[in-house]
Amino acid sequence: VVVSAGTQFPVRLAVAENEGKLYWTDDGAHKIFRTNLDGSNLQTVYTGSSSEYPYALVVDENEGKLYWTDSG
């Protein structure tokens, strides 16, 4: 999957196989994005403030939750 629109500095990836989604954090945009596994349907999941840097992330598919850490 290659996604270039809206991304600045992608850092970490997580796959939600059951959901068919790819999640990633973007240190430059202060955001968490997701797409379908084929790269379609780009969505912003979370937008942090200028002092927040979403970094590591994990998908809990059993509970349907996304967890992340902040490096800011």
Side-chain angles (χ1 to χ4, degrees):
V1 175
V2 175
V3 178
S4 58
T7 62
Q8 294 178 25
F9 188 63
V11 182
R12 298 286 188 263
L13 300 173
V15 175
E17 196 170 346
N18 295 340
E19 192 182 359
K21 300 288 184 185
L22 174 68
Y23 290 82
W24 70 92
T25 60
D26 190 308
D27 215 24
H30 307 269
K31 294 181 180 183
I32 298 173
F33 293 101
R34 77 177 183 182
T35 64
N36 294 334
L37 290 177
D38 66 2
S40 65
N41 195 26
L42 174 64
Q43 298 176 318
T44 301
V45 175
Y46 174 78
T47 301
S49 69
S50 62
S51 64
E52 294 177 306
Y53 295 90
Y55 192 69
L57 74 163
V58 65
V59 177
D60 181 342
E61 292 194 82
N62 293 327
E63 296 296 323
K65 295 186 179 188
L66 175 69
Y67 298 93
W68 69 89
T69 62
D70 184 309
S71 67

